[in-house]
Amino acid sequence: MNHRAGAVREPVQRLGRLCVYCGSSDGGDTRYGAAASELGAGLAARGGELVYGGGRNGLMGRVADAVLAGGGRATGVIPVHLQHREVAHPGLSELVVVADMHQRKRVMAERADAFAVLPGGVGTLDETVEILSWRQLGLHQKPIFIVDIGGYWAPLAALFEHIVASRFAAPLVPDLIRFVPDIAAFFVAFEQPMATHPIG
């Protein structure tokens, strides 16, 4: 890229408010927790804001703790019936308590400028598939990234390929959702010029 005086640079995608879907436990691989902390620290360092499920345990807690430790803003959204079960994070910049899971997902999506998916369980998978479905239907055009730490989401990538090969969907990857291998690759991909992000 030409950096001489007066050169016009491509517009860069700003992090803004990043919605992170991830597990409320640490999982069975230490790389998952390390990735959550790295994502939170990187988000804070870049002036971004975390939007997530509001818990203090597992990967959810790790990413929030790292954002807060870096001086960033972390907003949690948690249903009232899970507020005590998931043990809501006590130190968040803002904790939004909603009526149910449906409202939780809607509020998180409305507050987000983009989505990043770390390893997690059935709840994380549910959130990911729903936000992908909403983009496929044209309900939003926000970037979605799956951070495939240690190949955790490889079976999901294979399922997406199978759905497309079976002609139940047009290409999903990378048109609507992108897979990246680690946190460093996520930040590189997301900070590329906006034109590189396809619109669903």
Side-chain angles (χ1 to χ4, degrees):
M1 182 179 292
N2 188 349
H3 295 285
R4 70 180 184 276
V8 177
R9 301 185 64 180
E10 292 290 332
V12 174
Q13 185 86 321
R14 300 299 181 187
L15 282 180
R17 295 170 297 182
L18 180 67
C19 178
V20 177
Y21 300 137
C22 60
S24 58
S25 66
D26 285 328
D29 191 321
T30 57
R31 290 177 292 180
Y32 305 154
S37 296
E38 184 183 355
L39 178 59
L43 182 61
R46 290 165 173 80
E49 176 182 342
L50 172 67
V51 177
Y52 84 118
R56 74 178 184 189
N57 297 325
L59 303 188
M60 294 172 68
R62 288 180 182 273
V63 68
D65 286 343
V67 168
L68 295 168
R73 179 175 174 82
T75 298
V77 183
I78 194 167
V80 64
H81 75 280
L82 289 181
Q83 186 176 5
H84 300 294
R85 180 178 170 184
E86 289 193 19
V87 189
H89 197 298
L92 297 177
S93 310
E94 180 182 5
L95 181 65
V96 181
V97 180
V98 295
D100 53 39
M101 294 294 288
H102 297 291
Q103 188 178 9
R104 179 198 217 182
K105 290 187 285 185
R106 179 176 60 80
V107 170
M108 289 170 69
E110 288 174 349
R111 289 191 173 220
D113 298 311
F115 305 88
V117 183
L118 295 178
V122 173
T124 302
L125 182 61
D126 169 57
E127 291 167 326
T128 302
V129 171
E130 183 162 57
I131 205 64
L132 170 60
S133 176
W134 290 0
R135 184 164 189 197
Q136 186 181 41
L137 293 170
L139 301 179
H140 73 89
Q141 296 180 347
K142 301 172 183 180
I144 307 169
F145 296 89
I146 292 184
V147 189
D148 190 24
I149 305 299
Y152 180 82
W153 290 115
L156 181 60
L159 177 59
F160 287 164
E161 292 176 359
H162 175 67
I163 290 171
V164 172
S166 299
R167 300 184 181 179
F168 281 106
L172 302 172
V173 182
D175 292 354
L176 302 181
I177 194 166
R178 296 180 64 184
F179 284 76
V180 292
D182 52 37
I183 301 302
F186 162 73
F187 284 121
V188 169
F190 195 68
E191 292 170 348
Q192 289 173 353
M194 287 186 290
T196 65
H197 297 296
I199 298 299

